[in-house]
Amino acid sequence: MVKSLVASTHIKKVNADGIIDADDLLAAEEPLEIRLGFGRQSERQQQSISVTMRTPGNDFELAIGFLFTEGIIKNVSDVSQIKYCTDNYREQDQENIVRVELHPPIEFDLKKLSRHFYTSSSCGVCGKTSIESVKTMCNIVSSIDNLKFDAALIYQLPDELRKHQNVFEYTGGLHAAALFDTNGKLVFVREDVGRHNALDKLIGAVLHKEKIPLNNHLLLLSGRTSFELVQKAVMAGIKIIAAVGAPSSLAVQMAKEFDVTLIGFLRDKRFNIYSGEQRINFNTLK
């Protein structure tokens, strides 16, 4: 069974000229439960670690990206198998549960995981604690940082992203996360109803290609930038984040803490730089 990315519905369109009946397309939204299998071969355990509302598609990438950005795995080689749980479930639920099997040597601390999820979902209440937890988890090795992006090139990225937002084109209801190289070429893009899911799918896709760290790319987000999105980017080694919308205060704080270039309100050939302006080349501006 292959789940659709869109759903259809009947609507009434209302405008100054009157009311008409029409059909409309919606972005699909369904729950995805991520389960983890771990422990010695003779004593395997299973734990449900997350339930997220997502657009079906790229579910394995979403699961892998989530595990990586939460510090549960260091790379895709930590995973021995990933599959849908299909036994004893209703047909409509059979692709809504993913089980990720860790190799037996990989250690997993349930108590540590629960504490981390609590602080990372606090939306800034425990900001200092959350930033410190990311410092502890981050396994990206520092490298020479000579990354530069032309300001004039950055202007063009939202339009380039829009060309590749296939489902958004029909529904207008999805977030996107995209990677660009220094020439402005789109390398990866993923869409989802959840902005965090879109980024996890993107990072999961990159992990499969063994491209981490992403310290020579720019991450473009179609919406606003939250603390958790900066956290995920930091875990992947991303040094420049640009977003069409605004950043939160804690997102800016974290970007400064990890020396990440953070750009907001990227639209209509303008943007704001909140941190890391040294990576932006202004010489190309007219």
Side-chain angles (χ1 to χ4, degrees), residues 134-275:
V134 175
K135 285 182 178 178
T136 302
M137 289 192 305
C138 191
N139 297 303
I140 298 300
V141 178
S142 298
S143 58
I144 297 174
D145 184 3
N146 55 8
L147 181 61
K148 286 279 188 180
F149 259 82
D150 288 344
L153 182 63
I154 293 174
Y155 286 156
Q156 304 170 23
L157 300 185
D159 289 338
E160 188 63 26
L161 171 59
R162 182 61 64 86
K163 295 176 185 176
H164 294 83
Q165 287 186 261
N166 298 324
V167 181
F168 180 88
E169 185 69 23
Y170 294 104
T171 67
L174 289 184
H175 292 285
L179 278 181
F180 290 88
D181 65 18
T182 52
N183 296 316
K185 178 183 178 182
L186 189 145
V187 182
F188 283 100
V189 62
R190 291 293 184 269
E191 293 180 287
D192 198 275
V193 287
R195 56 175 60 90
H196 303 90
N197 294 338
L199 183 51
D200 278 336
K201 287 180 177 181
L202 179 70
I203 292 175
V206 173
L207 274 172
H208 279 293
K209 298 290 185 179
E210 299 183 350
K211 300 291 187 181
I212 299 287
L214 297 168
N215 52 345
N216 288 314
H217 295 79
L218 177 147
L219 170 65
L220 178 60
L221 304 172
S222 64
R224 63 181 179 83
T225 307
S226 67
F227 159 77
E228 287 177 305
L229 291 175
V230 177
Q231 168 194 326
K232 292 176 184 297
V234 167
M235 293 293 290
I238 294 169
K239 303 303 292 184
I240 302 181
I241 304 171
V244 174
S248 69
S249 61
L250 192 55
V252 174
Q253 179 185 340
M254 187 172 190
K256 291 179 177 179
E257 185 82 18
F258 286 89
D259 188 27
V260 170
T261 299
L262 182 58
I263 293 171
F265 294 106
L266 174 57
R267 52 181 182 261
D268 303 323
K269 290 191 175 182
R270 62 181 176 86
F271 58 84
N272 298 340
I273 302 175
Y274 295 87
S275 62

